[in-house]
Amino acid sequence: MNIHKFVMPEIIFGNGSISEVGNCCLRLGASNVLIVSDRGISEAGWLDVVIDSCVKAGLKYETFIDITVNPKDTEVDKGRNIYLKYGCDSVIGIGGGSAIDAAKAIALLATNGGVIHDYEGVDKIKHPLPPQIMIPTTAGSGSEVSQFSIILNTEKQKKMTIISKSLIPDIAIIDPETLVTKSSHLTASTGIDVLTHGIESYISLAATPLTDVHAKNSISLVAKYLRPSVASKLNKEAKTNMAMASLQAGIAFSNAILGAVHAMSHAVGGRYPILHGDVNSILLPHVMEFNYLANPQKFADIAYLLGLNDCDISKMEAAKKAIDLVKELIQDVGAPQRLSEIHVKKEEIPQMSLTALNDACMITNPRDVTVEIIEELFRKAW
Amino acid sequence: MNIHKFVMPEIIFGNGSISEVGNCCLRLGASNVLIVSDRGISEAGWLDVVIDSCVKAGLKYETFIDITVNPKDTEVDKGRNIYLKYGCDSVIGIGGGSAIDAAKAIALLATNGGVIHDYEGVDKIKHPLPPQIMIPTTAGSGSEVSQFSIILNTEKQKKMTIISKSLIPDIAIIDPETLVTKSSHLTASTGIDVLTHGIESYISLAATPLTDVHAKNSISLVAKYLRPSVASKLNKEAKTNMAMASLQAGIAFSNAILGAVHAMSHAVGGRYPILHGDVNSILLPHVMEFNYLANPQKFADIAYLLGLNDCDISKMEAAKKAIDLVKELIQDVGAPQRLSEIHVKKEEIPQMSLTALNDACMITNPRDVTVEIIEELFRKAW
């Protein structure tokens, strides 16, 4: 075993925990906070809950709610300008992965200067970030605990992956009650994203015993609770467990990194304004079919975590079952299954394959890839 | 589910990781570090490794290696005086739970003033502690990740439990190579301590899904690797896995707290200079027999984690098997089984029982206790 490192923020988890955000800011020494979010969260009323908690704690605040799906360098610029203009000293991000990734990127620029493109890649951040508190509302991205921020380079139509321990927030507040305002489509899409985080981090070349326990638990929670969570907005047990699944998958992938599904998904998301979870849902079974050779034991484990009940089959048979069980789950929750369905153009495959090959997430994929292999996987998924 | 909180330090784990300590200090802004340890660690050569790493990183340092088993308020005082006299700005603790608990207590006094008795109980610490890096060398205490410090009140012959998030170190460095210098008795004793942490945190009233995954993994690692670790100093696989077991048990109990075994064990340790793990080893089976009524499902889980292979028995039967399997393990590794063996006086049981009843660890025990029940448990274990 090589030396491995594991780090995560302080976690506050539970119904109603969102109201603790103001006091958390105080505890971190904040007095004037920039709240970063999107219009959907604002309309659902969650922004008001955050503002209310900040006001009660005696904090000054500004809001910036213009973040869109697959957050853009231009949005990060605007947010940084507001932060500096109003002399903010801390950042709250509330929303899905887009809002949180943008909030982290704004915090990064606030103390490090320059433009977000300067920080693409691993460990490019020099100065500490201001206090950051993140509140996920989708049970999907895991960004609230991760050392990742994925920002779209609008000029090059390419997602930039920024990785640094500095991007790990100080506190992550996970309140399952925020999940009841999600549509069933968004629940399915973000749920499959969680599953993808769990599976890719479990089979990652950088997986460790500390990441494995969280990855495994997230997979079995998704297997048990994603279907009922998609079925009913009001199933609190399902929502709470999907929030926990998302958190644990986030802890796992922040430390074990991901694999080919995410590398390829970033390449698609850079060109199309499509939900990240929908792209993962399409790619995951195909990448699993390619990857299972790399670690049959862990694929067999995944099959049992997903509910395989047959102890009399061989390890290789169990490993293959993992792929069938993932396909079934994707079908059951109505997530998309083909790139053509979401209007990805076939002629863009070669360019997207090149982009995917160079994505930071590809480094930890358990099976070696070439650009030809990625093209073939994209074609199978088309 | 209520709101629950989870926090842990940054982890660096692996053979040779001890040499990173100097750079870790620099990263935390330290320039003049107090290294707290004991004479055994110094004689084993590990202190020199730490000093070497600090010197290479250009740090100034002082050492304080007078910590003894069940660390004392008087030792903490001395350490604090050295810290202040030499203008230190950070603390490294290297050793077993005693050295690390003492290092944390010294760091606490350095910035908070007063005497260590002022901080007994929960959340009494007002000011942030200086940067702290802890390096465990026993695969036992879990103190390197925990929010606990247990210090002996020498006047009252009573262990003081200090609990605060501020006591969680900044970085924990776990280097399994440090374990090869341990005696087989110490390996057994600290290994049973790990098992006790895993079991007590798993059945604790404050357990959460985040603590459960680590508690369960620690129990199954102890079941698999404690015997071979006691058998051979040179079995690196066993040492590495016991270090991981200790770490994960520490993460679990720091956030889920413990139970009656530790409450009672602290009461014994306050009066006798006996290894903490030896006392736990004696008490654990008796407390489990008393506690299993409180959570048969989790006791059954423990039995399967400890190696129970029979799926055809009832939950209650499996729950009882957990106790037998713990007894077997204790016997196999040669840990003590009776209080009389370690020369505890029977007439002290009433006083120790009163002390145990008021220990902070008793609050999360899954079954209600009275002083009479504790006396009865002590008598059974005598």
Side-chain angles (χ1 to χ4, degrees):
Chain A
M1 201 186 300
N2 297 326
I3 292 176
H4 53 252
K5 305 188 177 187
F6 185 87
V7 55
M8 59 186 280
E10 181 181 337
I11 305 292
I12 301 178
F13 185 102
N15 291 322
S17 58
I18 190 171
S19 302
E20 301 206 9
V21 63
N23 283 326
C24 288
C25 287
L26 281 186
R27 181 148 63 82
L28 297 174
S31 62
N32 184 8
V33 59
L34 177 65
I35 307 171
V36 178
S37 192
D38 63 51
R39 299 195 172 266
I41 290 299
S42 171
E43 279 158 25
W46 297 114
L47 190 70
D48 289 339
V49 178
V50 170
I51 291 174
D52 190 49
S53 173
C54 289
V55 169
K56 275 189 185 143
L59 298 161
K60 283 175 68 184
Y61 70 92
E62 294 297 326
T63 60
F64 176 56
I65 60 165
D66 291 346
I67 309 300
T68 56
V69 170
N70 299 323
K72 288 143 198 74
D73 44 14
T74 48
E75 294 162 2
V76 171
D77 264 357
K78 274 191 208 161
R80 185 260 328 266
N81 293 344
I82 295 173
Y83 183 101
L84 295 177
K85 180 176 170 190
Y86 293 98
C88 295
D89 58 13
S90 50
V91 173
I92 294 172
I94 172 165
S98 300
I100 295 178
D101 276 1
K104 289 156 81 168
I106 291 166
L108 159 54
L109 292 189
T111 51
N112 283 268
V115 290
I116 197 66
H117 315 74
D118 300 338
Y119 302 95
E120 186 176 3
V122 181
D123 282 342
K124 301 282 174 65
I125 302 177
K126 293 266 189 320
H127 306 290
L129 272 57
Q132 307 169 62
I133 299 177
M134 300 299 157
I135 310 171
T137 60
T138 55
S141 76
S143 179
E144 72 278 8
V145 293
S146 87
Q147 51 185 321
F148 287 69
S149 172
I150 316 283
I151 303 294
L152 187 67
N153 181 326
T154 44
E155 201 181 312
K156 293 194 183 164
Q157 281 203 303
K158 181 178 159 294
K159 281 194 169 186
M160 300 178 287
T161 298
I162 306 164
I163 306 181
S164 164
K165 270 198 297 217
S166 303
L167 289 173
I168 297 174
D170 296 283
I171 303 179
I173 300 179
I174 296 102
D175 188 337
E177 283 183 356
T178 61
L179 302 180
V180 300
T181 50
K182 277 170 70 181
S183 69
S184 72
H185 172 212
L186 190 57
T187 303
S189 177
T190 52
I192 298 297
D193 192 23
V194 173
L195 179 67
T196 311
H197 293 156
I199 291 175
E200 292 216 282
S201 59
Y202 188 53
I203 60 172
S204 160
L205 291 177
T208 72
L210 283 174
T211 59
D212 281 352
V213 294
H214 292 292
K216 285 197 283 186
N217 209 44
S218 71
I219 295 168
S220 70
L221 288 173
V222 170
K224 208 166 158 189
Y225 294 105
L226 182 56
R227 289 178 178 88
S229 187
V230 169
S232 163
K233 281 190 186 182
L234 300 177
N235 185 332
K236 282 204 171 184
E237 189 195 356
K239 300 293 173 200
T240 301
N241 281 286
M242 281 307 300
M244 181 52 75
S246 173
L247 171 62
Q248 296 210 12
I251 294 169
F253 89 74
S254 174
N255 290 286
I257 319 298
L258 293 156
V261 180
H262 272 79
M264 294 169 68
S265 181
H266 292 158
V268 177
R271 293 171 172 257
Y272 297 93
I274 300 167
L275 281 176
H276 172 64
D278 281 352
V279 187
N280 286 351
S281 155
I282 293 164
L283 296 172
L284 179 59
H286 299 284
V287 174
M288 285 179 78
E289 261 165 24
F290 171 72
N291 270 340
Y292 91 96
L293 188 81
N295 201 332
Q297 179 60 58
K298 281 198 159 177
F299 269 75
D301 295 345
I302 291 170
Y304 289 106
L305 292 167
L306 288 172
L308 178 64
N309 214 352
D310 185 348
C311 297
D312 297 328
I313 60 175
S314 73
K315 188 164 75 183
M316 291 308 289
E317 283 172 308
K320 286 179 196 166
K321 286 274 180 203
I323 303 160
D324 297 337
L325 289 164
V326 163
K327 283 183 187 167
E328 256 176 48
L329 179 58
I330 288 170
Q331 214 155 20
D332 283 358
V333 299
Q337 296 174 60
R338 310 225 62 87
L339 289 174
S340 49
E341 245 180 273
I342 55 170
H343 312 297
V344 169
K345 288 187 196 139
K346 210 170 187 175
E347 54 271 29
E348 300 215 28
I349 287 178
Q351 192 53 49
M352 292 192 307
S353 301
L354 261 176
T355 307
L357 186 67
N358 295 309
D359 189 282
C361 290
M362 199 60 101
I363 301 166
T364 45
N365 192 66
R367 187 170 174 186
D368 299 335
V369 296
T370 60
V371 73
E372 291 76 22
I373 290 169
I374 302 172
E375 282 191 27
E376 179 65 19
L377 288 170
F378 268 134
R379 272 182 234 287
K380 280 187 183 162
W382 193 74
Chain B
M1 200 186 299
N2 298 325
I3 293 175
H4 53 250
K5 305 185 179 189
F6 185 88
V7 54
M8 59 185 281
E10 181 182 335
I11 305 292
I12 300 178
F13 184 103
N15 289 324
S17 58
I18 192 171
S19 303
E20 301 206 8
V21 63
N23 282 328
C24 288
C25 287
L26 281 186
R27 181 149 62 81
L28 297 175
S31 63
N32 184 6
V33 59
L34 177 64
I35 306 170
V36 178
S37 192
D38 63 49
R39 298 194 175 270
I41 291 298
S42 170
E43 279 158 25
W46 297 115
L47 191 69
D48 289 339
V49 178
V50 170
I51 290 173
D52 190 48
S53 174
C54 289
V55 170
K56 276 189 187 145
L59 297 161
K60 284 175 67 184
Y61 70 92
E62 293 296 328
T63 60
F64 176 55
I65 59 165
D66 291 346
I67 308 301
T68 57
V69 171
N70 300 323
K72 290 146 198 70
D73 43 14
T74 48
E75 294 162 4
V76 172
D77 264 357
K78 274 190 208 159
R80 185 259 329 265
N81 292 344
I82 295 174
Y83 183 101
L84 295 177
K85 179 175 172 191
Y86 292 98
C88 296
D89 57 14
S90 51
V91 173
I92 294 171
I94 172 165
S98 299
I100 295 177
D101 276 1
K104 288 156 80 169
I106 291 166
L108 159 54
L109 292 188
T111 51
N112 282 267
V115 290
I116 196 66
H117 314 73
D118 300 338
Y119 302 95
E120 187 177 2
V122 180
D123 281 341
K124 301 282 174 66
I125 302 176
K126 293 269 189 313
H127 305 291
L129 273 58
Q132 304 170 63
I133 298 176
M134 299 300 158
I135 309 171
T137 59
T138 55
S141 76
S143 179
E144 72 278 8
V145 292
S146 87
Q147 49 185 324
F148 288 68
S149 171
I150 316 283
I151 303 293
L152 188 68
N153 181 327
T154 43
E155 201 180 310
K156 293 194 181 162
Q157 281 202 303
K158 182 179 157 295
K159 281 194 170 185
M160 301 179 285
T161 298
I162 305 164
I163 306 181
S164 164
K165 267 195 300 212
S166 303
L167 289 173
I168 298 174
D170 296 283
I171 302 177
I173 299 178
I174 297 103
D175 189 337
E177 282 182 357
T178 60
L179 302 180
V180 301
T181 49
K182 278 169 73 180
S183 69
S184 73
H185 172 211
L186 190 58
T187 302
S189 177
T190 53
I192 298 296
D193 192 22
V194 173
L195 179 67
T196 311
H197 293 156
I199 290 174
E200 291 215 283
S201 59
Y202 188 53
I203 60 170
S204 160
L205 291 177
T208 72
L210 284 173
T211 59
D212 281 353
V213 294
H214 293 293
K216 286 197 283 187
N217 208 44
S218 72
I219 296 168
S220 71
L221 288 173
V222 170
K224 207 165 159 190
Y225 294 105
L226 182 55
R227 287 177 179 89
S229 186
V230 170
S232 163
K233 280 190 188 183
L234 299 178
N235 185 331
K236 282 205 171 184
E237 189 195 356
K239 299 293 173 202
T240 300
N241 281 286
M242 280 307 299
M244 181 53 72
S246 174
L247 171 62
Q248 296 211 16
I251 295 168
F253 89 75
S254 174
N255 289 285
I257 320 298
L258 294 157
V261 179
H262 272 79
M264 294 169 67
S265 181
H266 292 158
V268 177
R271 291 167 173 261
Y272 298 92
I274 299 168
L275 281 177
H276 172 65
D278 281 353
V279 188
N280 286 351
S281 154
I282 293 164
L283 296 172
L284 179 61
H286 299 283
V287 174
M288 284 179 78
E289 260 165 25
F290 171 71
N291 271 340
Y292 90 98
L293 188 80
N295 202 332
Q297 178 61 58
K298 281 196 159 177
F299 270 75
D301 295 345
I302 291 169
Y304 289 106
L305 293 167
L306 288 172
L308 178 63
N309 215 351
D310 185 348
C311 296
D312 296 329
I313 60 175
S314 72
K315 189 164 74 183
M316 291 307 289
E317 284 172 307
K320 286 179 196 167
K321 285 276 180 201
I323 304 161
D324 297 337
L325 290 164
V326 163
K327 283 183 187 166
E328 255 178 48
L329 179 58
I330 288 170
Q331 214 157 18
D332 283 357
V333 300
Q337 296 175 61
R338 310 225 60 87
L339 289 173
S340 50
E341 243 180 274
I342 55 170
H343 312 296
V344 170
K345 287 185 198 145
K346 210 172 188 173
E347 55 270 30
E348 298 214 30
I349 286 178
Q351 191 52 50
M352 292 193 307
S353 301
L354 261 177
T355 307
L357 186 66
N358 295 309
D359 189 283
C361 290
M362 199 59 102
I363 301 167
T364 45
N365 192 65
R367 188 171 174 185
D368 300 336
V369 296
T370 61
V371 73
E372 292 77 21
I373 289 169
I374 301 172
E375 283 191 26
E376 178 65 19
L377 288 170
F378 268 134
R379 270 182 237 286
K380 280 188 180 159
W382 192 75

